[in-house]
């Protein structure tokens, strides 16, 4: 097998991308893309996966494909270096899924903690669409079709990568060494693994409406930051405050750099000094929120401006997707052919099979 370093990752077109995506995956993707260390990078807009829980609303998925693509381009994913494509247009992925399904038990799917949480969130408990239950298998197809060695994602994707690794091991042991086992690449900073929503409750998620979007306008960002959940026991400025579970500080952990203090809050040199003051008492929530607002505004402004430029030429964006999809399809078709070779189901290419069957009837 080759020693190529290959990335596959992606997002569901269920809405515009938010700052959780940024710290959980997008920021890292752009760094990896520009590091030059990878031979190939595939970025997938997972529309078929989005349909597993939006079957009755295909229009939502259809509308959001271009939104996700615009977000990609605006954070600095470069189509010359990263192959951006649309999942559903690569039918080979569906075919792989169908074969992998035979290597996974229903009980194994039911144990997936992320899927369990998502079923609850979507009120699917009484009746789960089969496609939704199986999306971890389809994700294994996406990853293995491109022989990805590294999958940079947020923490919620850990069970999916584990499921993929199991499928790869099972496939290779049954049919012979064919597929590549991928490694997950999680954010290095704990606050970025699973950024909470502005309500402080669950993970920031398009489906929960607790997001700050990458393309959010400045006034909206400010309003959302000022409404954020902090420490409910920190009533007076002089009260000592808690950092753990305090969403504003989680966001600062994820976004702020020392230079932000010099620019927007010179009372402190760094975040740990600010945290110490908050814990001692004497630092009010409003001041911390105002600082977070500045940090987010300065991070998101260049992204938003770049997006406005790309919004002027939507046909270009679709052209990027078309080209990326064509190139990705070639790679997936090659892998599917290898998979079917390993399973010995490429019947018409199989001269040995035809000869063997002829022999049987000569006797
Ligand atoms: P949906 O609600 O439709 O599932 P989502 O907001 O969970 O949308 P996805 O498209 O499912 O977004 O996730 C895309 C990528 O972003 C994955 O790698 C996921 O781990 C990462 N991600 C999503 N939300 C967060 C978050 N709050 N913090 C860190 N990473 C995240
Ligand atoms: Mg999700």
């Amino acid at each position: 097998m080759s020693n190529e370093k290959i990335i596959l990752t992606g997002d569901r077109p269920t809405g515009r991308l938010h700052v959780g995506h940024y710290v959980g995956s997008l920021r890292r993707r752009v760094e990896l893309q520009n590091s030059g260390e990878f031979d190939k990078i595939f970025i997938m807009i997972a529309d078929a996966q989005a349909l597993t829980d939006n079957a009755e609303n295909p229009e939502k998925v259809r509308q959001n494909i271009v939104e996700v693509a615009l977000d990609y381009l605006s954070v600095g994913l470069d189509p010359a270096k990263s192959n951006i494509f649309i999942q559903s247009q690569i039918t080979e992925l569906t075919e792989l899924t169908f074969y992998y399904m035979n290597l996974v038990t229903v009980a194994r799917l039911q144990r997936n903690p992320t899927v369990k949480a998502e079923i609850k969130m979507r009120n699917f408990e009484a009746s789960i669409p089969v496609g939704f239950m199986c999306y971890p298998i389809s994700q294994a197809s996406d990853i293995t079709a491109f022989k990805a060695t590294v999958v940079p994602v947020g923490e919620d994707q850990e069970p999916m990568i584990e499921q993929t690794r199991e499928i790869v091991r099972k496939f290779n042991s049954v049919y012979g060494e064919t597929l590549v086992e991928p490694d997950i690449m999680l954010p290095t900073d704990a606050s970025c693994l699973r950024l909470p929503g502005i309500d402080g409750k669950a993970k920031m998620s398009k489906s929960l409406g607790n997001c700050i979007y990458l393309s959010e306008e400045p006034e909206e960002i400010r309003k959302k930051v000022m409404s954020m959940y902090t420490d409910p026991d920190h009533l007076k400025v002089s009260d000592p405050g808690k950092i753990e579970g305090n969403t504003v500080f989680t966001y600062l952990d994820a976004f702020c750099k020392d230079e932000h203090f010099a620019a927007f809050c010179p009372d402190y040199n760094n975040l740990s000094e600010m945290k110490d003051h908050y814990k001692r008492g004497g630092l009010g929530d409003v001041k911390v929120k105002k600082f977070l607002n500045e940090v987010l505004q300065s991070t998101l402004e260049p992204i938003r401006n770049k997006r406005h430029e790309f919004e002027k030429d939507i046909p270009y964006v679709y052209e990027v997707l078309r080209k990326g999809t064509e190139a990705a399809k070639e790679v997936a078709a090659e892998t599917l052919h290898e998979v079917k070779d390993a399973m010995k189901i490429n019947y018409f290419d199989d001269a040995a099979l035809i000869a063997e069957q002829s022999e049987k009837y000569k006797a």
Side-chain angles (χ1 to χ4, degrees), residues 12 118 122 156-157 203 205:
R12 293 152 39 94
E118 288 173 341
R122 288 162 175 72
D156 62 312
Q157 294 303 307
K203 151 178 129 51
S205 161

Side-chain angles (χ1 to χ4, degrees), residues 241-272:
K242 261 210 308 288
I243 304 290
E244 307 80 58
N246 186 322
T247 315
V248 178
F249 279 101
T250 309
Y251 280 42
L252 284 174
D253 277 328
F255 285 95
C256 108
K257 303 189 192 119
D258 291 353
E259 38 293 16
H260 289 131
F261 282 96
F264 308 121
C265 195
D267 295 357
Y268 311 97
N269 290 306
N270 53 46
L271 188 54
S272 74

Side-chain angles (χ1 to χ4, degrees), residues 1 22 27 51-52 56 112 135 151 158 164 168 171-172 179 223 247-248 284 310 319 323 352 355:
M1 267 187 214
Y22 186 67
R27 184 166 62 181
L51 286 168
T52 65
E56 279 150 45
N112 185 313
Y135 90 73
V151 187
E158 231 168 354
T164 302
V168 169
F171 188 97
N172 288 348
L179 302 174
K223 273 197 218 145
T247 315
V248 178
F310 286 112
E319 194 50 24
K323 284 199 185 126

Side-chain angles (χ1 to χ4, degrees), residues 186-212:
L186 290 171
T188 44
D189 195 307
S191 61
C192 303
L193 288 170
R194 188 182 290 258
L195 194 77
I198 51 172
D199 52 4
K201 283 194 193 114
K203 151 178 129 51
M204 181 177 288
S205 161
K206 293 180 228 105
S207 309
L208 287 176
N210 58 4
C211 305
I212 296 177

